[in-house]
Amino acid sequence: MALLKEGLTLIHEHTTIDLSKVKNNPDCFLDCFDETVQEYRDLYDLGVRNIVDVTAMGMGRNVDYVNSVADLTGINIVQATGFYKEPFLPAFVYEQSIEELAQHMVNEIRNGIDGTDTKAQVIGEIGTSVDVMEPMERKVFEAAVLAAKETGAIISTHTSLGTLALEQAAFFVEHGIDPRKVIIGHQDLSGNLDQIRTLIDMGFNVAFDTIGKNNYFPDRERAVYLKQLQDEGKLDHITLALDITRKSNFKYQGGIGYSYLFTDFLPMLREEGITEASIQMMINDNPQRIFGGEIR
Ligand SMILES: [Zn+2]
């Protein structure tokens, strides 16, 4: 069975997430259920049919919450297995072996998440810290590789501020993972077009998935980068998302909301000379191709 419905896809989001305790900031807890349903309904009206929810274990993953949002909005929400990064890793990541962690992921992919019959359909987001892959992060990457090989699942990564992407890529190549089955995340924060080119030339999928986070990197620059990649014929590896993780990002709190990608960012791309075919490639064709394979 296809993992994605026909229609547009946001490749890296969190329907609910709770990083509030570690970050000591209540804004980092997405428990605004009704507002999420409203914003996802707005996305549906804009043609979005799939959201890849990369909320891993340790990030406040909540399968029932996500299923309820999916049921109420008609959006297919792909749910995740895996572990995030330091300091958000569950205690058992420290205690269990790589093989045991891999089997935990495989079980969630084959049988279901947290004892439900909702199967995980993506491994992620698994991450590295700023400029370093911590030992426990390496352990998670080793486990993810085993689980991906056993199941055929796509791996979606987190890079901190876009750093260490080439090291992640080298790790996957060394471990025999097909780059076409990996999405390297947050590369729009890297400010490094050469790095993005290298990842694409290696065959990796690259996510511009923090659209609207202008305080980290201006959207106008994202548009300029994407135009350059269009000119070089490299957009067939690029996917888009917003990675909203804070209540203050929602419209009801005065934030940009998810539909910003359509109402503000896509018009900016058109102004820069990015074609409709290129836009479709990034939000439709590429996700459909990446998730087009079977899970075993
Ligand atoms: Zn992330």
Side-chain angles (χ1 to χ4, degrees):
M1 206 184 69
L3 299 187
L4 300 187
K5 284 188 188 177
E6 222 169 278
L8 308 182
T9 301
L10 299 184
I11 206 85
H12 185 120
E13 302 295 345
H14 305 277
T15 308
T16 180
I17 187 170
D18 186 7
L19 305 181
S20 64
K21 291 172 198 77
V22 175
K23 290 188 183 250
N24 195 23
N25 181 351
D27 192 29
C28 302
F29 185 18
L30 288 189
D31 58 350
C32 44
F33 182 85
D34 293 342
E35 291 80 5
T36 299
V37 167
Q38 185 55 55
E39 294 223 8
Y40 276 29
R41 281 180 174 153
D42 293 346
L43 284 175
Y44 188 96
D45 291 342
L46 291 160
V48 174
R49 293 294 178 273
N50 306 286
I51 286 179
V52 180
D53 186 319
V54 290
T55 312
M57 284 173 264
M59 304 174 85
R61 189 182 59 169
N62 185 334
V63 61
D64 292 332
Y65 186 109
V66 174
N67 283 338
S68 298
V69 173
D71 287 345
L72 288 168
T73 61
I75 291 188
N76 170 45
I77 307 179
V78 169
Q79 300 196 51
T81 188
F83 310 95
Y84 184 31
K85 63 180 281 282
E86 294 282 17
F88 302 96
L89 299 172
F92 68 88
V93 170
Y94 291 79
E95 292 147 17
Q96 293 189 1
S97 68
I98 291 167
E99 182 60 37
E100 285 171 321
L101 295 175
Q103 282 313 308
H104 198 104
M105 296 183 208
V106 170
N107 182 50
E108 293 200 332
I109 292 166
R110 291 210 174 127
N111 302 315
I113 300 169
D114 293 341
T116 70
D117 59 6
T118 299
K119 294 171 182 170
Q121 298 178 315
V122 63
I123 298 169
E125 60 182 299
I126 60 168
T128 46
S129 296
V130 178
D131 289 323
V132 60
M133 184 185 270
E134 299 287 357
M136 285 305 117
E137 294 168 351
R138 178 171 298 273
K139 189 175 183 182
V140 169
F141 269 64
E142 302 264 10
V145 160
L146 293 181
K149 282 184 175 171
E150 195 168 331
T151 60
I154 299 297
I155 297 176
S156 179
T157 79
H158 163 100
T159 58
S160 293
L161 303 176
T163 66
L164 234 67
L166 296 178
E167 288 79 358
Q168 289 187 3
F171 182 93
F172 290 125
V173 170
E174 263 167 45
H175 288 76
I177 293 287
D178 182 348
R180 293 172 300 181
K181 306 204 78 175
V182 178
I183 304 160
I184 306 286
H186 309 331
Q187 284 311 291
D188 48 341
L189 295 178
S190 70
N192 187 340
L193 198 51
D194 280 335
Q195 173 172 302
I196 292 166
R197 284 190 186 101
T198 302
L199 292 168
I200 292 172
D201 290 344
M202 291 173 79
F204 286 94
N205 301 293
V206 171
F208 275 51
D209 53 12
T210 64
I211 290 163
K213 296 193 201 292
N214 281 293
N215 49 333
Y216 287 96
F217 194 79
D219 275 342
R220 183 58 66 178
E221 286 294 304
R222 286 182 176 84
V224 169
Y225 277 28
L226 290 172
K227 173 61 166 59
Q228 185 63 38
L229 292 168
Q230 174 179 272
D231 292 347
E232 297 171 19
K234 294 190 194 297
L235 287 187
D236 56 340
H237 288 255
I238 300 286
T239 55
L240 304 181
L242 302 103
D243 191 20
I244 284 179
T245 59
R246 292 170 182 251
K247 286 194 274 270
S248 57
N249 295 140
F250 276 69
K251 282 182 197 156
Y252 83 100
Q253 290 222 0
I256 60 172
Y258 293 88
S259 55
Y260 169 92
L261 191 149
F262 296 87
T263 56
D264 291 69
F265 188 65
L266 294 187
M268 209 180 284
L269 295 188
R270 293 181 186 110
E271 278 170 28
E272 289 297 327
I274 292 181
T275 66
E276 292 307 314
S278 290
I279 289 171
Q280 283 300 309
M281 197 183 275
M282 294 186 283
I283 57 180
N284 185 72
D285 311 353
N286 296 343
Q288 294 286 342
R289 184 193 66 241
I290 295 165
F291 285 95
E294 293 287 311
I295 283 185
R296 296 185 288 273

